[in-house]
């Protein structure tokens, strides 16, 4: 996704590694050209993201949209009146679903929109959102448009009233329908990343993993790179070793807090 204009990038919490994007505008957004991988001909997909906003007016604030300006193969994730919603369109007809509770409280929320063979569902912080006004989600819409582009933070075919007024991070979309249990697992795994001083990156300057092992007794994952060894509890880095003896590792063996390193 290419950045157009200027966007702000800040940590999601004081001292945290995870970054969020904000400052969206008519000329400030992320854009991806046509991508065939986002054609979901069976209509099944999941969009998920973390957002923080205080906007609760009646205007549509677009988090993500894939469209070519017609009502064909459209996916839109948005907030309006402080609620999160998901919208699809095909063949000139649209389906949409907004779910509560209101999330325009200035806190981080995990929002998920799922279209499966039964219709549209939204989840707020791993809980299925209750339907609010302007919900029409009974018809499944195919997502298949060979000229659609994708935008983050706004969409191409309307004015600035559709700009997302807030911060977002970890946006993603997949051609599968997450179950309620999978949504809850994603939420529980990612929520610790928003704590103060939460680390989630590899130590050092390289992302080339040269050694790896999981300690089943402690449920810790040990990852070696040229910069040293990083230890993860879930997605959060809980420890690191950047001493000379732990750099450029070629092997790691970990069992019940005992760690052997090979170079």
């Amino acid at each position: 996704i290419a950045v157009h204009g200027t966007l702000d990038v800040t940590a999601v919490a004081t001292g945290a590694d995870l970054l969020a994007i904000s400052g969206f505008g008519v000329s400030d957004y992320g854009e991806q050209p046509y991508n065939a991988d986002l054609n979901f001909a069976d209509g099944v997909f999941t969009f998920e993201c973390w957002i923080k906003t205080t906007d609760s007016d009646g205007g549509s604030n677009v988090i993500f949209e894939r469209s070519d300006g017609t009502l064909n193969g459209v996916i839109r994730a948005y907030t309006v009146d402080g609620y999160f919603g998901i919208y699809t369109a095909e063949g000139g007809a649209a389906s949409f679903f907004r779910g509560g509770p209101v999330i325009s409280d200035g806190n981080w929320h995990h929002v998920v929109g799922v279209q499966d063979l039964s219709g549209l569902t939204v989840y707020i912080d791993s809980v299925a959102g209750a339907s609010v006004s302007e919900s029409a989600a009974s018809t499944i819409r195919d997502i298949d448009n060979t000229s659609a582009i994708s935008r983050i933070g706004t969409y191409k075919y309307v004015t600035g009233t559709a700009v997302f007024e807030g911060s977002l991070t970890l946006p993603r979309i997949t051609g599968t329908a997450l179950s309620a249990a999978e949504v809850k697992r994603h939420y529980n795994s990612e929520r610790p990343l928003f704590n103060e001083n939460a680390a989630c990156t590899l130590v050092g300057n390289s992302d080339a993993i040269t050694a790896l092992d999981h300690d089943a007794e402690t449920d810790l994952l040990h990852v070696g790179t040229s910069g040293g060894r990083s230890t993860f509890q879930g997605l959060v880095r809980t420890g690191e070793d950047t001493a000379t003896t732990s750099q450029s590792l070629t092997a790691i063996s970990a069992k019940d807090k005992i760690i052997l390193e090979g170079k």
Side-chain angles (χ1 to χ4, degrees):
I1 296 178
V3 174
H4 293 252
T6 302
L7 296 174
D8 299 322
V9 180
T10 56
V12 297
T14 302
D17 281 349
L18 182 62
L19 302 177
I21 303 171
S22 60
F24 299 103
V26 177
S27 303
D28 306 295
Y29 52 86
E31 182 176 294
Q32 183 186 68
Y34 170 72
N35 181 350
D37 289 340
L38 301 186
N39 282 333
F40 308 127
D42 60 358
V44 175
F45 72 89
T46 300
F47 173 84
E48 62 180 312
C49 189
W50 287 80
I51 65 172
K52 181 172 71 171
T53 182
T54 58
D55 184 77
S56 60
D57 63 30
S60 180
N61 296 276
V62 175
I63 303 165
F64 168 86
E65 186 180 77
R66 182 177 189 264
S67 171
D68 69 350
T70 68
L71 291 180
N72 291 301
V74 178
I75 300 174
R76 182 187 304 153
Y78 63 98
T79 64
V80 63
D81 294 328
Y83 297 100
F84 171 70
I86 198 79
Y87 170 104
T88 61
E90 177 61 33
S95 293
F96 39 90
F97 187 93
R98 284 195 290 152
V102 169
I103 55 174
S104 55
D105 56 6
N107 296 314
W108 283 106
H109 293 283
H110 182 232
V111 295
V112 180
V114 178
Q115 180 172 260
D116 59 19
L117 299 182
S118 62
L120 290 169
T121 305
V122 301
Y123 295 86
I124 312 298
D125 296 332
S126 80
V127 178
S131 175
V132 295
S133 61
E134 298 183 6
S135 294
S138 59
T139 302
I140 309 307
R141 305 297 175 188
D142 296 340
I143 309 299
D144 194 356
N145 186 330
T146 58
S147 60
I149 66 167
S150 300
R151 278 195 177 179
I152 296 283
T154 185
Y155 56 175
K156 185 174 182 179
Y157 302 98
V158 292
T159 62
T161 56
V163 170
F164 179 63
E165 299 179 30
S167 301
L168 64 85
T169 189
L170 299 178
R172 72 214 96 147
I173 191 167
T174 178
T176 59
L178 291 184
S179 67
E182 289 170 324
V183 171
K184 183 174 288 292
R185 178 166 57 84
H186 286 201
Y187 171 76
N188 289 335
S189 297
E190 295 169 12
R191 186 65 190 86
L193 299 176
F194 295 82
N195 294 332
E196 288 190 3
N197 301 314
C200 63
T201 58
L202 296 167
V203 298
N205 299 317
S206 173
D207 62 0
I209 295 173
T210 57
L212 184 74
D213 198 23
H214 175 250
D215 188 333
E217 281 73 20
T218 63
D219 197 26
L220 296 176
L221 182 68
H222 301 277
V223 185
T225 67
S226 61
R229 173 170 50 83
S230 304
T231 300
F232 289 87
Q233 180 85 57
L235 298 177
V236 176
R237 191 181 78 238
T238 57
E240 60 186 71
D241 187 349
T242 58
T244 302
T245 54
S246 290
Q247 292 181 359
S248 300
L249 298 177
T250 59
I252 296 176
S253 180
K255 182 175 177 61
D256 198 15
K257 300 182 181 180
I258 298 174
I259 305 169
L260 301 178
E261 301 175 346
K263 300 185 69 174

